[in-house]
Amino acid sequence: MPITPATATHSPSNGTAEAILLELVDENGVTIGTAEKLAAHQPPGQLHRAFSVFLFDEQGRLLLQRRALGKYHSPGVWSNTCCGHPYPGEAPFAAAARRTHEELGVSPSLLAEAGTVRYNHPDPDSGLVEQEYNHLFVGLVQSPVRPDPDEVGETAFVTPAELAERHAKDTFSSWFMTVLDAARPAVRELTGPSAGW
């Protein structure tokens, strides 16, 4: 993980794995505490802050990623451009920009807030639960992606029709359609009517 001011305090210097803390929130998104990442996802799940990013190219195609097979949660499934959790006290916008660069090696040329959505999605394969208050972001990507293979198995730019075909035959993350549907008004505003979102 690249060391940046936002991540410096979260990167152990002795080489041991440090517990990653998530920000617990109430139903209104107000911070009420922290929990270790894996513990927050154990059933029934603890409501925590998260973010989801949807980046588009200049043709209005959505950048999807297939999560790396080594991920402990939802490995090998397709999902939105980037998603994750802010560190406690980190602004969701900053976390979204940071993780997009860490996972995909790109900085969006535009990134805008697209609302929030709250959901509870159990993952039958892992037994973990996504109980999230999710901050949504839409934006543009204008440079080639350079995915981190520890995070991303592969990427694809898709039109709405191509997404529908892929969604019918491939496995997607349990949260994908929930976050995409919640972001659609901002997606349509960003990409315009001709893109078909």
Side-chain angles (χ1 to χ4, degrees), residues 26 30 36 67 77 86 101-102 109 116 119 123 135 149 162 171-172 181:
D26 66 14
V30 176
E36 191 275 325
R67 294 164 63 86
V77 303
H101 188 268
E102 289 171 358
S109 55
T116 59
Y119 53 78
D123 177 32
H135 297 256
E162 291 165 343
T171 305
F172 275 70
D181 287 344

Side-chain angles (χ1 to χ4, degrees), residues 64-76:
L64 297 177
Q65 70 154 277
R66 188 173 60 80
R67 294 164 63 86
L69 292 174
K71 305 275 280 186
Y72 78 90
H73 190 345
S74 302

Side-chain angles (χ1 to χ4, degrees), residues 22-26 29-35 40 46-49:
L22 306 186
E23 206 168 74
L24 300 180
V25 299
D26 66 14
V30 176
T31 303
I32 58 172
T34 60
Q46 294 174 280
L47 184 59
H48 57 275
R49 194 177 308 285

Side-chain angles (χ1 to χ4, degrees), residues 1-4 51 53 55 81-82 94-108 111 143-148 151-152:
M1 175 172 68
I3 304 298
T4 66
F51 64 83
V53 177
L55 296 184
T81 308
C82 180
R98 171 179 58 79
R99 282 303 291 165
T100 299
H101 188 268
E102 289 171 358
E103 290 188 11
L104 294 161
V106 293
S107 296
L111 191 64
S143 54
V145 296
R146 300 181 312 278
D148 175 350
E151 298 288 341
V152 180

Side-chain angles (χ1 to χ4, degrees), residues 104-165:
L104 294 161
V106 293
S107 296
S109 55
L110 171 75
L111 191 64
E113 294 184 16
T116 59
V117 62
R118 190 256 194 258
Y119 53 78
N120 177 357
H121 285 300
D123 177 32
D125 292 332
S126 68
L128 300 174
V129 177
E130 287 291 2
Q131 185 91 250
E132 294 186 331
Y133 187 93
N134 198 304
H135 297 256
L136 307 171
F137 299 92
V138 299
L140 297 174
V141 60
Q142 295 176 304
S143 54
V145 296
R146 300 181 312 278
D148 175 350
D150 290 336
E151 298 288 341
V152 180
E154 63 181 297
T155 61
F157 282 97
V158 297
T159 65
E162 291 165 343
L163 174 61
E165 284 179 25

